[in-house]
Amino acid sequence: MGVSTLILVVLALAAAGYIAGRMKAKAMERAGAKPHSRSGFHAAHVMNWVLLPSLAVIVLIVIARPIIVDNAVRAEFPAELRQDETQSNLIAGMVSQIAGGLTLLDEGEREQVRVGLVPLRPLLAEKGVALGGADIEPFMVRAAETLNGLNSTFSGAMWLLTILAAVIGGALGWLQIKPEMRARNRVETVIKGVLIAASAIAILTTVGIVFSMLSESLRFFSMVSPVNFFFGSTWDPRFAAADSTGDEGGQYGILPLLWGTAYISIIALIIAVPIGLFSAIYMAEYASKRVRGIVKPIIEVLAGIPTIVYGFFALVTVGPIIRDAVAVPLGLGSSGSSVMTAGVVMGIMIIPFISSLSDDIINAVPQSLRDGSYGLGATKSETVRQVVLPAALPGIVGAVLLAASRAIGETMIVVLAAGVATRISLNPFQEMTTITVKIVSQLTGDTEFTSPQVLVAFALGLTLFVVTLGLNIYALHIVRKYREQYD
């Protein structure tokens, strides 16, 4: 029985604690006592005493279990294997397979394998389990038995300690129920703590992302000059011996990638902003409720389409059309993959972001502003143009910046529609690439995080993170300013 079953048991105990706490609180009320809090708060107090200790035990064991088990299993490996991390990881995967196979054998068969009377691989093959990898050594079998034993021990301990914590906690919470107890305050304190913990998880996740990128980026900049990275115009991170520049072969200029990212994003915004804004104005100011109820969901369907589908659409449909209708006749290019193709399709993808956000922002403009404009004799179009849009402009700008952040971080459309060429050119019908595509390419395949060719992905990611974070902060600042003015 796994963790999910244990959690269901804990929830059942929590429900029982809630009922027991409510019954005791009701009994106090019938006895003529005047409790500080209602019976529901007393019941919730007992439920919290069941849930919090038991869930804390589960979390601690789930965190500690893989660390302790992995160290114990690897202790069975020969010393030379433990020193080689790559080989040790491969053997650990093999041991995990062996451990799963050993659970299918009875005690007699395991003893025969343990003393070497019967080979394990043919024995498991008879039971339909095929083990790949290297030859099975005796230390692998011992490590597998250690793995199974520790897993069994931890499972039993987790069940015992969790249920014990739930029962003891529930009993303590139940005994604390008295008329003078401030159950409501205690329950609200627990709820506040849960909300703070949820916020802390979000913050710590962001901090962890930044720290991981920053630490690896610093390793990269210890090998490659930051000046060459941020101001170089050539991207060629080939594997080669160290050269005279100290950059260990290859050039890591980010300017072509920044250019391709900005160029594609600008074209996407040129496509998306007018269409998204005009559709938002129509739905908010001109469309009937019936038309709005049909058109808005249709537009928002675009936001639910996977980006890989957009990439196929660009590769098969939009790219050939742009190539045959524009690029080839004008002599500007002969490839279906281009900046224009990626920009057009990406613009279609972000239309719902601009349209939906702008629609909500326009609807949030107070009706009194419209009524005042109509009272002064303005027409519908004049009111929209001179009153509604200026009032909604800060929020619309925020929506555009959020859409721009979405476009900058897109990968699949660029891979399929824009190509992988790194160049700085004004011709939108040529192949170019973006930062996100190069991050993927540098981390694809068997990689070790020791060479600048791999570590450069973290420097690229950190750069992209700073750019998009700046746009998001600016957009949120504008939206917040707008809400403070018109709420």
Side-chain angles (χ1 to χ4, degrees), residues 2 30 51 67 97 141 159 165-166 169-170 192 201 254 296 367 373 394-395 440 486:
R30 288 193 297 268
L51 285 175
I67 299 173
Q97 291 182 337
V141 178
W159 272 84
K192 182 179 178 181
I201 290 174
I254 196 177
K296 187 169 183 177
Q367 184 62 33
S373 177
V440 174
Y486 292 103

Side-chain angles (χ1 to χ4, degrees), residues 102-123:
L102 288 176
T103 59
L104 302 176
L105 305 179
D106 57 37
E107 183 59 34
E109 291 172 328
R110 285 198 293 269
E111 181 62 27
Q112 290 178 335
V113 171
R114 190 179 300 115
V115 299
L117 295 178
V118 179
L120 178 62
R121 193 185 298 273
L123 189 61

